Amino acid sequence: MSGGILKKIRSGAIASIIGIGAFSAVNIYYDKQKFYDQILIPTIQYLDPELSHKLTILWFKSGLVPKSQYKDTPILVNKIKHLSFRNPLGIAAGFDKNGEAVSSLENIGFGFVEVGTVTPKAQTGNDKPRVFRLLEDKAIINRYGLNNDGYEIVHTRLQKLKQNKSFNGILGINLGPNETSENTISDYVNGITVFSDVADYFAINVSCPNTSNLKNLKKKENLKNLLTAVISARNNLTIEPKPLIFLKLSPDLTKEEKNDIIKILKDKMCQIDGLIISNTTVERSLNLKSSSASEPGGLSGLPLKEHSTKLIAEMFKLTKGSIPIIGVGGVFTGQDAYEKVKAGASLIQLYTSFTFHGPPLIANIKKELQSLVNDDNYGNIAEAVGKDSKK
Ligand SMILES: Cc1cc2nc3c(=O)[nH]c(=O)nc-3n(C[C@H](O)[C@H](O)[C@H](O)COP(=O)(O)O)c2cc1C
Ligand SMILES: *[C@@H]1O[C@H](CO)[C@@H](O)[C@H](O)[C@H]1NC(C)=O
Ligand SMILES: *[C@@H]1O[C@H](CO)[C@@H](O)[C@H](O)[C@H]1NC(C)=O
Ligand SMILES: *[C@@H]1O[C@H](CO)[C@@H](O)[C@H](O)[C@H]1NC(C)=O
Ligand SMILES: *[C@@H]1O[C@H](CO)[C@@H](O)[C@H](O)[C@H]1NC(C)=O
Ligand SMILES: *[C@@H]1O[C@H](CO)[C@@H](O)[C@H](O)[C@H]1NC(C)=O
Ligand SMILES: *[C@@H]1O[C@H](CO)[C@@H](O)[C@H](O)[C@H]1NC(C)=O
């Protein structure tokens, strides 16, 4: 019974929150961290986390999100291959799974947007509840299970966006296989063909949980076959310039798995363009305080920060800096971002901190990052990449 009433109260609150939120943001508290931290976000945090995410997407979809006043500076421009990022801060996969908020994400200052994970067929994902806020830990646990609208709908949406020039930034598509798929490789290959006219890059996943040696060997072959097929599909595209291929890694890889990956990446047929480090962790021995800490699922946010930065540093060393890295995991400040840059990241992504602090966070991180790069007397952020590993 109380659930029903709560639901009604909540849905009544929906319209007013969007209305008040957008109106106040535009008219009164324009781009002010204080407004989000003290009023809007605490209000939204009374709602169920999945509902508040839905509301945020609706708000972003409405286009009523104030455009950031911060002007990107050349000092933070960085390149990967032919792609020039006007700033190094991107929104990580999972926030805009269906490509509905892309223009707004650009307007509030992200240098690039990664849509997805998208799978061939639309999926509803796991049973609810499937996402949990860990307020005291500045973290989230999610087990959404790849709910999304499927390749076709998301592609059509993004195609319109490009055609009507509502988005001119860099767009990544994070691809995944159907849950019931019997041939995951062909699902990825299809994705590359379907999204070839809108994607600047594709993100492909390797989520290698700990397994026996025998399984490991099989996994290694699997990864090699997957990468070979994906690179071949990309190379076969007639579009120019061709989209880049980034591989997203789990932070829970064993030493052996990391070495396997490094070996595979040396293969001529498996030459990817970048590594995204990292995805969420299933690790829980991180001194978590929140009551939801034992929920199964992927943990993101502050507790992941050091873990992810270490893996960035490790992969940067193992690849001798030959593969550009996109660093992600627990970035809340410019300092956090800079630590990842110095560990070896050319670009940064975030998700969890954005849900805690809202749009003003983006300009704040960029400002701080800019002054940190300046303080170290670098003319451009690219000069700072991997500096810690060269000490
Ligand atoms: C609610 C939620 C959903 C996510 N969904 C996806 C997803 O669909 N695909 C994916 O590759 N990563 C997904 N991620 C992982 C993020 O892209 C990112 O790698 C991770 O959250 C670490 O960054 P953060 O600490 O800044 O959040 C998700 C993260 C969260 C919090
Ligand atoms: C452009 O296309 C997107 C995606 O379909 C849509 O949301 C947006 O309203 C369109 N913008 C204009 C100016 O037509
Ligand atoms: C990631 O890869 C694993 C192992 O191949 C697979 O089970 C999982 O469905 C994939 N997830 C995504 C998002 O592609
Ligand atoms: C995934 O779904 C698509 C769309 O229904 C289908 O064409 C494809 O065969 C599926 N892939 C696999 C390997 O099951
Ligand atoms: C990220 O991690 C989640 C949970 O461990 C997993 O389901 C998903 O397949 C991973 N996605 C990528 C792109 O690695
Ligand atoms: C990974 O290790 C954990 C703990 O050692 C174990 O519970 C889990 O079943 C393992 N996962 C796989 C896929 O082997
Ligand atoms: C790419 O084209 C070659 C030559 O036509 C073909 O053999 C190969 O299967 C194609 N790759 C993919 C993944 O479709």
Side-chain angles (χ1 to χ4, degrees), residues 324-388:
I325 292 171
I326 295 105
V328 47
V331 171
F332 281 72
T333 65
Q335 181 67 45
D336 296 341
Y338 197 48
E339 277 164 21
K340 283 189 164 46
V341 168
K342 294 217 287 190
S346 298
L347 301 170
I348 299 294
Q349 286 180 324
L350 53 81
Y351 182 158
T352 303
S353 58
F354 187 55
T355 70
F356 282 88
H357 299 293
L361 178 75
I362 310 314
N364 290 345
I365 291 182
K366 289 191 289 187
K367 274 179 215 159
E368 195 188 339
L369 189 55
Q370 182 189 344
S371 70
L372 287 166
V373 173
N374 239 330
D375 290 350
D376 280 351
N377 289 317
Y378 297 122
N380 178 274
I381 190 168
E383 296 164 33
V385 173
K387 270 283 148 29
D388 277 353

Side-chain angles (χ1 to χ4, degrees), residues 189 228-230 232-234 236:
V189 166
T228 307
V230 161
S232 156
R234 187 274 308 271
N236 284 359

Side-chain angles (χ1 to χ4, degrees), residues 7-56:
K7 247 189 194 147
K8 269 185 199 146
I9 295 173
R10 276 176 185 162
S11 53
I14 293 177
S16 40
I17 285 179
I18 296 182
I20 295 168
F23 180 83
S24 331
V26 173
N27 292 289
I28 310 168
Y29 295 97
Y30 196 81
D31 214 20
K32 291 281 190 293
Q33 186 74 69
K34 227 171 143 184
F35 166 67
Y36 285 92
D37 283 0
Q38 294 178 2
I39 301 172
L40 188 59
I41 306 258
T43 309
I44 286 178
Q45 277 175 348
Y46 275 109
L47 303 172
D48 156 79
E50 180 159 354
L51 177 64
S52 52
H53 181 248
K54 269 197 182 135
L55 290 180
T56 308

Side-chain angles (χ1 to χ4, degrees), residues 120-121 178 180-183 186-187:
K121 281 187 277 197
N178 293 341
T180 53
S181 176
E182 288 181 356
N183 184 349
S186 75
D187 283 6

Side-chain angles (χ1 to χ4, degrees), residues 245-263:
I245 306 285
F246 297 161
L247 189 65
K248 187 164 179 175
L249 301 184
S250 156
D252 306 326
L253 298 169
T254 62
K255 207 173 169 142
E256 208 178 345
E257 286 164 345
K258 286 175 212 166
N259 288 331
D260 284 350
I261 290 172
I262 295 296
K263 263 183 227 148

